[in-house]
Amino acid sequence: MTADTIEPEEYASDPVERRREQRGWYFYDFACSVYSTSVLTVFLGPYLTSVARAAADADGFVHPLGIPVRAGSLFAYAVSASIVVAVLVMPLVGAAADRTGRKKPLLAASAYLGAAATAGMFFLAGDRYLLGAFLLIVANASLSVSMVLYNAYLPQIAQPDERDAVSSRGWAFGYTSGALVLVLNLVLYSGHDSFGLTEGEAVRICLASAGVWWGAFTLVPLRRLRDRQVRPEGAERAGEGAVGSGWGQLRATLKDMRRHPLTLSFLLAYLIYNDGIQTVISQASIYGSEELKLDQTTLITAVLLVQVLAVAGALGMGRLARTHGAKRTILGSLAVWTLILAAGYFLPANSPVFFYWLAAAIGLVMGGSQALSRSLFSHLVPRGKEAEYFSAYEMSDRGLSWLGPLVFGLAYQLTGSYRDAIISLVIFFVVGFTLLARVPVRRAVEAAGNPVPERI
């Protein structure tokens, strides 16, 4: 049997081998989620902002490339810039992965580039805000590229009825590692004096350790996952001009996606609501420290609470999806996200208890909404085009999530109020909910040529 005529059952191996690959797959979430938690959510936002303010002029502006930027907006702008870089690279990588069938070398390259950039944040001191912005752009873009490849394995290692559970377990592994490392971060940061460290040195060690963790645990999926030579009908021989014709392949992918308008409808909905989710995650520490006047220990503890509850939330929402379907469960989570932002807007300053309640609510819906979105999309992908379609998904997941941070940064730049910035994100959840509610997911799965699970 040729790759062009491969049957769906051959995407996943026998049960024992499939479970072995799934366990290896979980560990990439375990490896890279520490970056998302410790670096992007907790430490880098406030620290990079403080570094930028140390370099700012009397009016509170820094001038990268001669452009006046309020120091408090630099982090949001750097996140937005990293996503633009990712947009340019992800389609090339996705096309190359599908055309060559070699995801693992590309996963290794992107993972270790991101891990090295994160480890390099140890040298972010003084007024080196440009170094910090550069390393953030490299690390964040690398993470996005690696996630294209990581997510593209899901349809190949899990049968249709397994995917909600497998995707949810992956997120749970990630949140578990995030919680574990945050405990270690909290010990180091809170007791930095007893370790003979300044506060800044403790933060830089926490940042760099996330890169070391990311690199070390990436070895597990690289050992367990295997590449498959699966190509759609009519694809050219693997390896012929895979990178050189990447943009041509992207054009072909976009043209092909027009044949699956329901898949595109889901991606549009996901683009909108996930933009809001990603912005809340990346800007939460800035909002807590600058607007709510909470100290770093409170922020670390709150994010630790998010991580712990996100494990239960991801697994719990996975179980809800078995009864109510992934689509209905995601819609419910988006309603909760809207209420969370409304509550956050009215949250009083200097009130850690209220912030902890808000963090608990975020934890319960964050992992499940993302895990179920990933598994739902996996049903909408035509066979043999996993990496290409997941590059489009990842552009929605991270790659096109530049608008939220940009809106957040502009709102603060124009008003000087982080409350105005946070409440502006409600629109992403309202519009995303409306668009997702209109997608007939069963017809979308059938149109992609895939078997329809009993509950979706």
Side-chain angles (χ1 to χ4, degrees), residues 134-369:
F134 172 75
L135 293 175
L136 168 58
I137 291 170
V138 172
N140 219 39
S142 297
L143 177 65
S144 296
V145 171
S146 72
M147 291 302 291
V148 169
L149 303 156
Y150 169 69
N151 288 334
Y153 274 104
L154 180 59
Q156 297 181 339
I157 65 170
Q159 295 178 347
D161 290 333
E162 296 178 312
R163 290 180 196 166
D164 287 345
V166 170
S167 183
S168 295
R169 288 189 200 112
W171 282 103
F173 262 62
Y175 290 126
T176 299
S177 73
L180 175 60
V181 173
L182 271 181
V183 169
L184 300 176
N185 290 160
L186 182 60
V187 171
L188 179 64
Y189 180 82
S190 300
H192 62 267
D193 287 334
S194 61
F195 290 106
L197 300 170
T198 65
E199 181 178 335
E201 288 170 341
V203 170
R204 290 189 287 118
I205 290 173
C206 291
L207 292 172
S209 65
V212 175
W213 182 283
W214 184 358
F217 284 100
T218 294
L219 292 172
V220 179
L222 293 179
R223 287 180 62 87
R224 292 287 185 92
L225 294 171
R226 66 181 181 88
D227 284 329
R228 292 165 173 82
Q229 195 64 51
V230 179
R231 292 174 286 118
E233 186 74 31
E236 71 175 73
R237 290 189 305 275
E240 289 187 0
V243 177
S245 60
W247 284 108
Q249 183 62 56
L250 172 62
R251 288 191 294 270
T253 300
L254 294 176
K255 183 178 179 180
D256 184 74
M257 291 185 75
R258 290 164 56 188
R259 297 171 48 235
H260 302 282
L262 298 180
T263 300
L264 280 174
S265 296
F266 173 81
L267 271 178
L268 177 61
Y270 182 69
L271 184 156
I272 300 299
Y273 71 74
N274 187 66
D275 203 341
I277 292 174
Q278 294 297 326
T279 307
V280 171
I281 293 171
S282 66
Q283 305 303 319
S285 60
I286 287 283
Y287 186 70
S289 63
E290 300 296 324
E291 185 67 37
L292 302 181
K293 310 302 180 186
L294 302 174
D295 59 39
Q296 191 71 55
T297 300
T298 299
L299 295 176
I300 296 172
T301 308
V303 175
L304 178 60
L305 178 63
V306 169
Q307 297 299 114
V308 172
L309 291 178
V311 175
L315 297 176
M317 287 181 65
R319 292 190 181 94
L320 282 176
R322 296 177 196 170
T323 304
H324 302 287
K327 177 184 172 180
R328 288 192 182 93
T329 307
I330 294 168
L331 288 172
S333 75
L334 297 182
V336 175
W337 274 109
T338 303
L339 295 175
I340 287 170
L341 286 179
Y345 178 80
F346 294 105
L347 209 62
N350 299 304
S351 299
V353 173
F354 289 107
F355 191 71
Y356 288 145
W357 278 108
L358 201 65
I362 289 174
L364 290 174
V365 296
M366 181 171 67
S369 57

